Amino acid sequence: RSARASIPPVRFRRSTSALRARMALSSLRRFAAPQHLRSAALRSFSTKLKVVNLNAARLDFDGRINWDKMKATAEVTMYDKSETAEIVGRVQGADVVMNKEFPLPGEIIRAFPSSVKLIAEAGTGYNNIDLDACREKGIALCNVPEYTTEAMGDYAITLVLALSCSLAPQMKALARGDRTYMHQCHLGNLDHFEIQDKVFGIVGGLGYIASRISAKALALGMKVVVSDVPSTPLGMRESGVEVVSFDDLLARSDFVSTMVPLNKHTTGLMNAAAFDKMKPSAYIINTARGPIIDQDALVDALRKKKIAGAALDVFGAGSAPPPPLPDDSPLYDVFNEFDNVILTPHIGWQRIEARQRVVDMCADNMAKFARGEPMNINMETGLPIR
């Protein structure tokens, strides 16, 4: 199945055909220059790739996804859902393992058969995959960083608009049978304000999705400030956003949105000290990863009126589906104590167009891989190639 395996190493060394074979192999090595792709590029994909999709229902939970583009590139075996104990058995003979958010720890990846040469993560984040194990096995990795740019941008703005007019408290009042706002025809003490000239602060605001959110917010007349890694120069950008320090962003923003990846540096980033620096009229929005916000600190900040409210679309650290809030979380009391909180079950990315896009872009990645082209994750550094 590989060029290396098809060449008897001793006999070819003494013949003209041996020289041609070795030259061809050398040329193939140069074509597949990245070390982490070398073993994959040496494979022959004269037939379709064999792809195993571990949790297709995470993307196609409503049966509306068209898989034709992927099936044109690969022989696809799809499982709606896989338990951890089932994974190794299901990927036997596969060239590519397609996955959506499900944890693939080192002990599972190290048990993969040698046929597996690529893990195709059907999403942006890949902190659910053990990169060290991938390196040891010579397995490449790709993701799809831009598939949900529009969907997430739309959802972030949706939450800003909902918070600015106290839409959730009004609907919750009706849901519990309280028609006070309907009868008096005004909102009393609830927040109700225009978003023009309000400051939208995006933590980690220079990425793909964050940049699209910024563009949408600017189009609505908001002012956008963003923070990034400390080495990023501060000041205005041509796009109209202003890069500021994290502390400055917290102090100035009317809405704070977290758009950073989850790692050891960002876990608990929004803690008690961060909430203390926010304006009491400001709102926190999290559509990235749950543990970026310290939930206990958030509850305390809401109870002490340190901030005006929150909109949360993510809660746990990951997996497919990601875990919800614990059942005993006080934030579930959205009808009484926390009527200024919006909770949604990680739906920001789930619009039908975004789900179809990620499937089609995964198919594009697989087609590139079959042609021997490099994938978009640098396996030496573990960082995206931009």
Side-chain angles (χ1 to χ4, degrees):
R1 296 191 54 161
S2 69
R4 187 186 300 275
S6 65
I7 302 172
V10 176
R11 286 178 294 172
F12 275 88
R13 197 176 297 170
R14 298 174 181 171
S15 66
T16 303
S17 58
L19 180 59
R20 287 197 299 269
R22 291 169 67 187
M23 290 174 65
L25 186 56
S26 176
S27 175
L28 188 54
R29 282 174 177 155
R30 288 194 300 271
F31 178 72
Q35 180 65 37
H36 62 280
L37 293 174
R38 189 167 294 167
S39 59
L42 290 174
R43 293 170 58 82
S44 171
F45 293 115
S46 57
T47 58
K48 286 185 176 182
L49 291 171
K50 293 183 178 179
V51 175
V52 171
N53 188 335
L54 294 176
N55 52 352
R58 182 70 182 134
L59 292 165
D60 197 14
F61 48 79
D62 53 4
R64 298 172 66 188
I65 297 300
N66 185 324
W67 297 89
D68 289 351
K69 186 173 185 179
M70 186 172 295
K71 290 178 179 178
T73 300
E75 295 177 6
V76 186
T77 300
M78 292 194 289
Y79 297 96
D80 282 348
K81 180 180 178 181
S82 295
E83 301 297 334
T84 300
E86 298 173 319
I87 292 175
V88 174
R90 289 182 170 181
V91 303
Q92 296 300 310
D95 301 306
V96 179
V97 175
M98 181 176 172
N99 179 59
K100 175 62 176 172
E101 299 174 341
F102 195 82
L104 294 178
E107 61 269 22
I108 296 297
I109 293 174
R110 291 184 180 95
F112 278 5
S114 59
S115 62
V116 175
K117 293 302 178 185
L118 175 68
I119 296 175
E121 179 63 29
T124 303
Y126 50 93
N127 56 293
N128 52 312
I129 296 170
D130 190 311
L131 295 181
D132 287 336
C134 289
R135 295 185 189 103
E136 292 173 22
K137 295 283 290 187
I139 297 174
L141 173 65
C142 62
N143 71 337
V144 186
E146 298 183 66
Y147 80 99
T148 190
T149 302
E150 286 299 323
M152 293 297 293
D154 288 350
Y155 194 56
I157 297 300
T158 297
L159 294 174
V160 168
L161 293 171
L163 292 168
S164 71
C165 66
S166 296
L167 184 62
Q170 295 176 61
M171 296 303 296
K172 292 171 188 177
L174 282 176
R176 63 176 181 260
D178 181 355
R179 301 179 184 178
T180 301
Y181 301 124
M182 300 296 290
H183 291 163
Q184 67 190 24
C185 201
H186 64 75
L187 297 181
N189 293 323
L190 293 180
D191 279 350
H192 199 59
F193 55 85
E194 296 178 352
I195 63 170
Q196 185 170 1
D197 292 327
K198 296 299 186 292
V199 179
F200 192 3
I202 307 177
V203 183
L206 295 179
Y208 292 116
I209 296 172
S211 295
R212 191 65 186 128
I213 295 172
S214 295
K216 292 174 185 284
L218 289 167
L220 291 171
M222 301 186 78
K223 299 175 181 177
V224 179
V225 297
V226 304
S227 65
D228 200 62
V229 295
S231 59
T232 302
L234 305 182
M236 291 296 300
R237 297 294 178 94
E238 291 184 2
S239 62
V241 306
E242 182 182 1
V243 182
V244 300
S245 69
F246 177 56
D247 286 351
D248 193 20
L249 182 149
L250 296 175
R252 291 172 55 182
S253 298
D254 299 296
F255 300 90
V256 174
S257 176
T258 56
M259 292 304 301
V260 292
L262 180 64
N263 54 44
K264 64 181 180 181
H265 302 294
T266 60
T267 298
L269 179 66
M270 292 302 301
N271 54 21
F275 290 123
D276 285 342
K277 295 170 183 174
M278 290 176 61
K279 297 190 291 189
S281 59
Y283 292 86
I284 181 71
I285 296 171
N286 188 13
T287 59
R289 290 291 186 268
I292 295 168
I293 292 183
D294 181 325
Q295 295 293 334
D296 291 336
L298 173 60
V299 169
D300 183 68
L302 290 166
R303 283 175 169 163
K304 294 179 178 177
K305 311 298 183 185
K306 293 181 180 180
I307 60 174
L312 309 175
D313 188 47
V314 285
F315 309 100
S319 82
L325 275 174
D327 287 339
D328 60 354
S329 172
L331 290 175
Y332 277 123
D333 188 13
V334 294
F335 283 106
N336 295 298
E337 184 176 15
F338 297 113
D339 69 345
N340 56 344
V341 173
I342 297 173
L343 303 177
T344 55
H346 196 26
I347 63 171
W349 66 274
Q350 293 182 18
R351 296 174 194 257
I352 180 61
E353 296 89 350
R355 289 186 287 130
Q356 185 63 60
R357 190 178 300 117
V358 74
V359 169
D360 290 345
M361 293 177 82
C362 276
D364 290 338
N365 283 341
M366 293 172 190
K368 291 176 182 177
F369 182 73
R371 296 192 297 267
E373 297 179 22
M375 294 292 93
N376 65 344
I377 304 296
N378 184 321
M379 296 306 294
E380 293 184 7
T381 64
L383 298 175
I385 299 172
R386 305 204 179 200

